Amino acid sequence: MAPQRFREQYDQIQRSMPDVPLAIGPDDAGEFLYEKGVVLARDGEEARLVEDTVRQHFTTFAGLTADHVRRASPETNRSGITRIQVADPGQGDGGGDPAVAGALRALREPEGRTGRRLVSRNHVVSIAVNACPGDEPVPVEADAQPNPAVADGAHTPDSAVGVLVIDTGLMNDYRSYPLLAHTRGDAQVEECGDDGILRQYCGHGTFIAGLVAAVAPNTDITVRGTLNDAGAILESEFGEKLFEAVDQDGWPDVISLSAGTSNGRTDGLLGIDAFMRELRQQRTLLVAAAGNNSSATPFWPAAYADLPGFENAVLSIGALRGDGEFGACFSNHGAWVKAYAPGERLTSALTGFETPVPYVYQHSTYDTCRYGFGYACTCRHPRHTGVLSDEGGSGKPDQVMFEGLAQWSGTSFATPVAVGMIAAHMTARAETDPRKARTQLMDGNREVAEVRGANVPALIPATWSPTPVALPSTRT
């Protein structure tokens, strides 16, 4: 069942990037998306080595010319990445790209000589993921309260913790939610379609900002709309956008990032390598979502938390189910996930505080959990029919109205809960170093949950209220 959702998302992201032919990888296995006909290399000598190797090994690509290689000067491309075209991206379908796979194989030998990877697919980075959040937003009762509830404390500009949310932009009426009165940043682009229906993923960044503000009221939150295009961006652009986000206002105390991709490797993403190396030299703490593939495969950039040299700079966050006792069905897991926070059916600001906004579901729920769990997870409940899931067009997609708060699930939302706990700890302890605060919080934490049979650190805000789990779990 999980591959069905992935392919639905492939179709939607491809529509949002009509000029970028996409393939499913590796070899149509449904783990990630990437740009067809293109590989990435570091600018300069390594890019030339990649191009020469491709020319030497693939006579099919004898027509490759310098025009295919797009180099940018260091002044305009701090990520230092070059896109190299190795085939006609218009050939074939989305079921993998043999030309790109062949180019990667051809560069394995030079990689052994240089001691580091020279080439990569150009992956699609998307808001954490299958390639989507754990579910779609759900309306709540008119008198519903945020969950986690608003913690005690006030916003004090002189001591507020700086939090940068890199996500979709802010909804136009976000200031009508009192918790976000001090929030600033980029506006969401095209909140609704021509039919007045709320577009998928709109409100994602606003929802995240609301969670941070609820757990840690003494925060200065900035939201950057880096992922406004259906929550997705190419790896080749992502590194540069990350630099732009921190350059605009300076490096913050904490970055909340609910986006990423797997890539079948254990050494990170080539496209953000320069950003991650600079992050390591800063005082900023990156808190990143572990992803929603229900997989142990490393999800980047969250999995940098497990790489030497990044232990203090990155904290990876998985999601707990509604009772806080076990991992959510969709949450990625493994030794590279360093902590878990509530991430199922959280309540925060979405949109429609001033004017109710309609939304049409894109994905249908399932009769059973798509990952094999037995409790009443978000795969199953609440029931709805979605446009992308109805191939035959026999069912009518469900439409709902949003009027302010909503309920949503995913590691996307466990992440800002953890960010809020770190920020609240900084305020309570007058700690100005976010990495020290992270260490102090983790060392002093006594909460644990069970994920796949292992006890893991659980970051549980005092104001969070568990939700009942309707059925006993048959798999944890």
Side-chain angles (χ1 to χ4, degrees):
M1 293 183 185
Q4 176 187 339
R5 176 67 67 92
F6 185 89
R7 289 182 179 277
E8 290 170 8
Q9 288 299 309
Y10 166 79
D11 291 340
Q12 200 232 1
I13 290 175
Q14 181 64 89
R15 285 197 296 271
S16 75
M17 297 180 167
D19 299 326
V20 183
L22 299 178
I24 298 173
D27 300 324
D28 200 24
E31 292 183 13
F32 51 77
L33 306 178
Y34 64 98
E35 184 182 12
K36 288 178 61 181
V38 168
V39 296
L40 302 183
R42 295 178 183 86
D43 203 8
E45 289 298 325
E46 292 190 12
R48 284 187 282 275
L49 174 58
V50 170
E51 184 182 5
D52 290 345
T53 303
V54 169
R55 289 180 185 277
Q56 178 182 352
H57 282 72
F58 296 95
T59 57
T60 305
F61 312 137
L64 190 67
T65 69
D67 293 336
H68 291 119
V69 180
R70 305 178 194 176
R71 290 193 174 95
S73 66
E75 289 75 23
T76 59
N77 183 10
R78 288 175 64 186
S79 61
I81 295 299
T82 293
R83 294 170 65 253
I84 300 176
Q85 186 171 325
V86 297
D88 180 0
Q91 294 180 349
D93 57 21
D97 188 335
V100 169
L104 297 179
R105 286 193 297 271
L107 270 298
R108 286 176 182 169
E109 184 179 349
E111 177 182 347
R113 292 201 301 268
T114 61
R116 68 175 182 176
R117 176 169 43 143
L118 296 178
V119 67
S120 166
R121 292 179 176 89
N122 191 14
H123 301 89
V124 174
V125 177
S126 57
I127 53 180
V129 89
N130 187 15
C132 62
D135 67 351
E136 294 175 81
V138 177
V140 296
E141 299 294 332
D143 60 351
Q145 298 298 309
N147 188 22
V150 182
D152 292 336
H155 178 264
T156 306
D158 291 343
S159 63
V161 177
V163 176
L164 172 61
V165 176
I166 297 177
D167 208 87
T168 61
L170 290 161
M171 304 300 281
N172 70 83
D173 59 355
Y174 77 93
R175 288 191 185 277
S176 59
Y177 186 52
L179 279 182
L180 298 181
H182 305 289
T183 300
R184 60 192 180 93
D186 300 330
Q188 170 69 49
V189 178
E190 296 184 47
E191 294 181 9
C192 297
D194 295 337
D195 54 3
I197 302 295
L198 184 68
R199 295 166 65 93
Q200 193 175 14
Y201 307 123
C202 287
H204 194 264
T206 304
F207 195 95
I208 286 171
L211 289 170
V212 174
V215 178
N218 192 30
T219 46
D220 280 334
I221 303 170
T222 301
V223 178
R224 291 296 168 213
T226 304
L227 301 167
N228 273 332
D229 193 358
I233 190 172
L234 287 173
E235 180 182 340
S236 57
E237 302 171 8
F238 190 45
E240 193 70 13
K241 291 294 185 180
L242 290 174
F243 276 122
E244 289 178 7
V246 296
D247 286 348
Q248 195 159 352
D249 302 290
W251 288 84
D253 294 311
V254 184
I255 295 175
S256 181
L257 178 61
S258 293
T261 181
S262 59
N263 65 352
R265 295 185 61 104
T266 59
D267 57 354
L269 294 177
L270 194 62
I272 64 170
D273 179 64
F275 177 84
M276 295 303 296
R277 284 188 283 109
E278 185 158 336
L279 169 72
R280 191 165 54 184
Q281 304 306 314
Q282 302 291 333
R283 58 183 292 278
T284 297
L285 174 67
L286 171 63
V287 184
N292 304 328
N293 294 354
S294 193
S295 170
T297 300
F299 183 80
W300 308 99
Y304 276 92
D306 209 38
L307 294 187
F310 290 96
E311 303 93 334
N312 296 323
V314 182
L315 178 62
S316 49
I317 300 295
L320 300 175
R321 71 184 194 183
D323 60 6
E325 296 182 10
F326 298 93
C329 72
F330 51 78
S331 181
N332 285 349
H333 53 92
W336 56 274
V337 183
K338 301 305 178 182
Y340 293 76
E344 194 172 63
R345 300 189 176 101
L346 301 183
T347 304
S348 182
L350 185 71
T351 187
F353 282 91
E354 297 174 346
T355 304
V357 180
Y359 178 77
V360 174
Y361 281 104
Q362 301 297 299
H363 306 283
S364 298
T365 46
Y366 300 85
D367 293 332
T368 59
C369 173
R370 56 195 159 122
Y371 301 116
F373 284 67
Y375 74 101
C377 62
T378 58
C379 297
R380 310 170 52 186
H381 178 79
R383 304 288 292 177
H384 51 254
T385 299
V387 174
L388 296 174
S389 307
D390 188 21
E391 295 181 359
S394 56
K396 182 179 180 182
D398 290 314
Q399 179 173 311
V400 294
M401 298 293 293
F402 287 112
E403 303 183 59
L405 298 181
Q407 206 172 71
W408 215 341
S409 303
T411 60
S412 281
F413 313 121
T415 297
V417 170
V419 168
M421 291 189 69
I422 293 165
H425 180 92
M426 292 177 68
T427 295
R429 299 287 186 90
E431 177 58 69
T432 59
D433 186 327
R435 297 184 183 182
K436 286 184 179 179
R438 168 262 177 95
T439 300
Q440 293 165 3
L441 180 66
M442 294 291 290
D443 288 349
N445 180 58
R446 296 294 178 266
E447 296 282 353
V448 296
E450 185 177 327
V451 176
R452 312 285 173 147
N455 289 332
V456 299
L459 298 177
I460 308 291
T463 60
W464 174 71
S465 297
T467 55
V469 173
L471 297 175
S473 175
T474 59
R475 174 181 165 196
T476 56

Short mmCIF file of all heavy atoms in Angstrom, two decimals, residues 337-368:
data_model
loop_
_atom_site.label_atom_id
_atom_site.label_comp_id
_atom_site.label_asym_id
_atom_site.label_seq_id
_atom_site.Cartn_x
_atom_site.Cartn_y
_atom_site.Cartn_z
N VAL A 337 18.17 8.09 14.06
CA VAL A 337 17.11 8.93 14.63
C VAL A 337 17.40 9.06 16.13
O VAL A 337 17.34 8.09 16.87
CB VAL A 337 15.71 8.32 14.41
CG1 VAL A 337 14.64 9.25 14.96
CG2 VAL A 337 15.47 8.03 12.93
N LYS A 338 17.72 10.26 16.57
CA LYS A 338 18.26 10.46 17.91
C LYS A 338 17.21 10.70 18.99
O LYS A 338 17.49 10.55 20.18
CB LYS A 338 19.27 11.61 17.90
CG LYS A 338 20.44 11.38 16.95
CD LYS A 338 21.15 10.06 17.25
CE LYS A 338 22.30 9.77 16.30
NZ LYS A 338 22.94 8.47 16.57
N ALA A 339 16.01 11.11 18.60
CA ALA A 339 14.94 11.32 19.58
C ALA A 339 13.60 11.29 18.86
O ALA A 339 13.54 11.46 17.63
CB ALA A 339 15.12 12.64 20.32
N TYR A 340 12.55 11.08 19.64
CA TYR A 340 11.18 11.05 19.10
C TYR A 340 10.33 12.01 19.92
O TYR A 340 10.54 12.19 21.11
CB TYR A 340 10.61 9.63 19.18
CG TYR A 340 11.30 8.64 18.27
CD1 TYR A 340 12.56 8.14 18.59
CD2 TYR A 340 10.71 8.23 17.08
CE1 TYR A 340 13.20 7.24 17.75
CE2 TYR A 340 11.35 7.32 16.24
CZ TYR A 340 12.59 6.83 16.58
OH TYR A 340 13.23 5.94 15.74
N ALA A 341 9.34 12.60 19.24
CA ALA A 341 8.41 13.52 19.89
C ALA A 341 7.01 13.22 19.38
O ALA A 341 6.84 12.59 18.33
CB ALA A 341 8.80 14.97 19.61
N PRO A 342 5.98 13.64 20.12
CA PRO A 342 4.62 13.44 19.61
C PRO A 342 4.48 13.98 18.19
O PRO A 342 4.88 15.11 17.91
CB PRO A 342 3.76 14.23 20.60
CG PRO A 342 4.56 14.21 21.87
CD PRO A 342 5.99 14.30 21.43
N GLY A 343 3.89 13.17 17.31
CA GLY A 343 3.77 13.59 15.92
C GLY A 343 2.50 13.10 15.25
O GLY A 343 2.36 13.22 14.04
N GLU A 344 1.59 12.54 16.04
CA GLU A 344 0.35 12.03 15.47
C GLU A 344 -0.83 12.82 16.02
O GLU A 344 -0.99 12.98 17.22
CB GLU A 344 0.20 10.54 15.82
CG GLU A 344 -0.89 9.84 15.00
CD GLU A 344 -0.89 8.34 15.24
OE1 GLU A 344 -1.14 7.92 16.39
OE2 GLU A 344 -0.63 7.59 14.28
N ARG A 345 -1.63 13.38 15.09
CA ARG A 345 -2.84 14.14 15.43
C ARG A 345 -2.56 15.32 16.36
O ARG A 345 -3.26 15.53 17.36
CB ARG A 345 -3.90 13.21 16.03
CG ARG A 345 -4.32 12.09 15.05
CD ARG A 345 -5.52 11.31 15.55
NE ARG A 345 -5.93 10.33 14.56
CZ ARG A 345 -5.63 9.03 14.61
NH1 ARG A 345 -4.94 8.55 15.63
NH2 ARG A 345 -6.04 8.21 13.67
N LEU A 346 -1.52 16.09 16.02
CA LEU A 346 -1.27 17.34 16.73
C LEU A 346 -2.23 18.41 16.22
O LEU A 346 -2.72 18.33 15.09
CB LEU A 346 0.17 17.78 16.54
CG LEU A 346 1.25 16.80 17.00
CD1 LEU A 346 2.63 17.41 16.81
CD2 LEU A 346 1.05 16.39 18.45
N THR A 347 -2.49 19.43 17.03
CA THR A 347 -3.42 20.49 16.66
C THR A 347 -2.69 21.83 16.69
O THR A 347 -2.06 22.18 17.68
CB THR A 347 -4.62 20.53 17.63
OG1 THR A 347 -5.26 19.25 17.64
CG2 THR A 347 -5.62 21.58 17.20
N SER A 348 -2.79 22.56 15.57
CA SER A 348 -2.10 23.85 15.47
C SER A 348 -2.83 24.71 14.44
O SER A 348 -3.87 24.32 13.88
CB SER A 348 -0.64 23.63 15.07
OG SER A 348 0.07 24.86 14.99
N ALA A 349 -2.27 25.87 14.17
CA ALA A 349 -2.87 26.82 13.23
C ALA A 349 -2.67 26.34 11.80
O ALA A 349 -1.57 25.94 11.41
CB ALA A 349 -2.23 28.19 13.40
N LEU A 350 -3.73 26.41 10.99
CA LEU A 350 -3.60 26.09 9.57
C LEU A 350 -3.97 27.31 8.75
O LEU A 350 -3.11 28.01 8.23
CB LEU A 350 -4.48 24.88 9.20
CG LEU A 350 -4.32 24.39 7.77
CD1 LEU A 350 -2.95 23.72 7.60
CD2 LEU A 350 -5.43 23.43 7.38
N THR A 351 -5.26 27.60 8.63
CA THR A 351 -5.71 28.75 7.85
C THR A 351 -7.19 28.99 8.14
O THR A 351 -7.82 28.23 8.88
CB THR A 351 -5.49 28.53 6.34
OG1 THR A 351 -5.80 29.73 5.63
CG2 THR A 351 -6.36 27.40 5.82
N GLY A 352 -7.72 30.02 7.52
CA GLY A 352 -9.15 30.25 7.60
C GLY A 352 -9.64 30.88 8.88
O GLY A 352 -10.81 30.74 9.23
N PHE A 353 -8.78 31.61 9.62
CA PHE A 353 -9.23 32.26 10.84
C PHE A 353 -10.23 33.37 10.53
O PHE A 353 -11.16 33.62 11.29
CB PHE A 353 -8.04 32.83 11.62
CG PHE A 353 -7.27 31.79 12.37
CD1 PHE A 353 -6.21 31.15 11.80
CD2 PHE A 353 -7.63 31.45 13.66
CE1 PHE A 353 -5.49 30.18 12.48
CE2 PHE A 353 -6.93 30.48 14.36
CZ PHE A 353 -5.86 29.85 13.78
N GLU A 354 -10.02 34.04 9.42
CA GLU A 354 -10.91 35.14 9.06
C GLU A 354 -12.00 34.70 8.08
O GLU A 354 -13.13 35.16 8.14
CB GLU A 354 -10.08 36.28 8.46
CG GLU A 354 -9.08 36.86 9.46
CD GLU A 354 -8.16 37.90 8.84
OE1 GLU A 354 -8.11 37.97 7.59
OE2 GLU A 354 -7.49 38.62 9.60
N THR A 355 -11.64 33.80 7.17
CA THR A 355 -12.60 33.27 6.19
C THR A 355 -12.38 31.78 6.06
O THR A 355 -11.28 31.34 5.71
CB THR A 355 -12.40 33.94 4.81
OG1 THR A 355 -12.50 35.36 4.95
CG2 THR A 355 -13.45 33.44 3.83
N PRO A 356 -13.39 30.96 6.30
CA PRO A 356 -13.24 29.51 6.14
C PRO A 356 -12.77 29.16 4.72
O PRO A 356 -13.17 29.80 3.74
CB PRO A 356 -14.65 28.97 6.41
CG PRO A 356 -15.29 30.02 7.26
CD PRO A 356 -14.74 31.32 6.79
N VAL A 357 -11.93 28.14 4.63
CA VAL A 357 -11.34 27.76 3.35
C VAL A 357 -11.65 26.28 3.08
O VAL A 357 -11.41 25.43 3.94
CB VAL A 357 -9.82 27.98 3.36
CG1 VAL A 357 -9.21 27.56 2.03
CG2 VAL A 357 -9.49 29.44 3.65
N PRO A 358 -12.16 25.95 1.88
CA PRO A 358 -12.42 24.54 1.56
C PRO A 358 -11.16 23.80 1.13
O PRO A 358 -10.23 24.40 0.58
CB PRO A 358 -13.42 24.62 0.41
CG PRO A 358 -13.09 25.92 -0.28
CD PRO A 358 -12.62 26.84 0.81
N TYR A 359 -11.15 22.51 1.38
CA TYR A 359 -10.03 21.65 0.98
C TYR A 359 -10.60 20.32 0.48
O TYR A 359 -11.53 19.77 1.09
CB TYR A 359 -9.10 21.40 2.17
CG TYR A 359 -7.94 20.47 1.86
CD1 TYR A 359 -6.83 20.92 1.13
CD2 TYR A 359 -7.95 19.15 2.28
CE1 TYR A 359 -5.77 20.08 0.84
CE2 TYR A 359 -6.89 18.29 2.00
CZ TYR A 359 -5.81 18.77 1.28
OH TYR A 359 -4.76 17.92 0.98
N VAL A 360 -10.03 19.81 -0.61
CA VAL A 360 -10.43 18.52 -1.16
C VAL A 360 -9.29 17.53 -0.93
O VAL A 360 -8.14 17.81 -1.29
CB VAL A 360 -10.74 18.63 -2.67
CG1 VAL A 360 -11.00 17.25 -3.27
CG2 VAL A 360 -11.93 19.54 -2.91
N TYR A 361 -9.61 16.38 -0.34
CA TYR A 361 -8.57 15.39 -0.04
C TYR A 361 -7.96 14.84 -1.31
O TYR A 361 -8.65 14.59 -2.30
CB TYR A 361 -9.14 14.27 0.84
CG TYR A 361 -9.23 14.68 2.28
CD1 TYR A 361 -10.45 15.02 2.85
CD2 TYR A 361 -8.09 14.77 3.06
CE1 TYR A 361 -10.53 15.43 4.16
CE2 TYR A 361 -8.16 15.18 4.38
CZ TYR A 361 -9.38 15.51 4.92
OH TYR A 361 -9.44 15.93 6.23
N GLN A 362 -6.64 14.65 -1.27
CA GLN A 362 -5.89 14.15 -2.41
C GLN A 362 -5.67 12.64 -2.34
O GLN A 362 -5.52 11.97 -3.35
CB GLN A 362 -4.53 14.85 -2.50
CG GLN A 362 -4.64 16.36 -2.65
CD GLN A 362 -5.34 16.75 -3.94
OE1 GLN A 362 -4.87 16.45 -5.03
NE2 GLN A 362 -6.48 17.42 -3.81
N HIS A 363 -5.61 12.08 -1.12
CA HIS A 363 -5.32 10.67 -0.93
C HIS A 363 -6.45 10.02 -0.13
O HIS A 363 -6.99 10.62 0.79
CB HIS A 363 -4.00 10.47 -0.17
CG HIS A 363 -2.85 11.15 -0.81
ND1 HIS A 363 -2.21 10.68 -1.93
CD2 HIS A 363 -2.23 12.31 -0.49
CE1 HIS A 363 -1.23 11.50 -2.26
NE2 HIS A 363 -1.23 12.50 -1.40
N SER A 364 -6.77 8.79 -0.48
CA SER A 364 -7.77 8.03 0.26
C SER A 364 -7.12 7.33 1.45
O SER A 364 -5.94 6.97 1.41
CB SER A 364 -8.43 6.98 -0.63
OG SER A 364 -9.11 7.59 -1.71
N THR A 365 -7.89 7.17 2.49
CA THR A 365 -7.43 6.34 3.60
C THR A 365 -7.54 4.87 3.19
O THR A 365 -8.06 4.53 2.13
CB THR A 365 -8.27 6.60 4.86
OG1 THR A 365 -9.66 6.60 4.50
CG2 THR A 365 -7.91 7.92 5.49
N TYR A 366 -7.03 3.99 4.05
CA TYR A 366 -6.93 2.57 3.74
C TYR A 366 -7.78 1.76 4.71
O TYR A 366 -8.12 2.22 5.80
CB TYR A 366 -5.47 2.11 3.83
CG TYR A 366 -4.55 2.83 2.89
CD1 TYR A 366 -3.98 4.05 3.24
CD2 TYR A 366 -4.23 2.29 1.65
CE1 TYR A 366 -3.13 4.71 2.38
CE2 TYR A 366 -3.37 2.95 0.78
CZ TYR A 366 -2.83 4.16 1.14
OH TYR A 366 -1.98 4.81 0.29
N ASP A 367 -8.09 0.53 4.31
CA ASP A 367 -8.83 -0.38 5.20
C ASP A 367 -7.95 -0.85 6.36
O ASP A 367 -8.43 -1.08 7.46
CB ASP A 367 -9.35 -1.59 4.43
CG ASP A 367 -10.42 -1.21 3.41
OD1 ASP A 367 -11.11 -0.19 3.64
OD2 ASP A 367 -10.54 -1.91 2.39
N THR A 368 -6.66 -1.00 6.08
CA THR A 368 -5.68 -1.37 7.10
C THR A 368 -4.47 -0.47 6.97
O THR A 368 -4.29 0.20 5.95
CB THR A 368 -5.24 -2.84 6.95
OG1 THR A 368 -4.66 -3.02 5.64
CG2 THR A 368 -6.42 -3.79 7.13
#
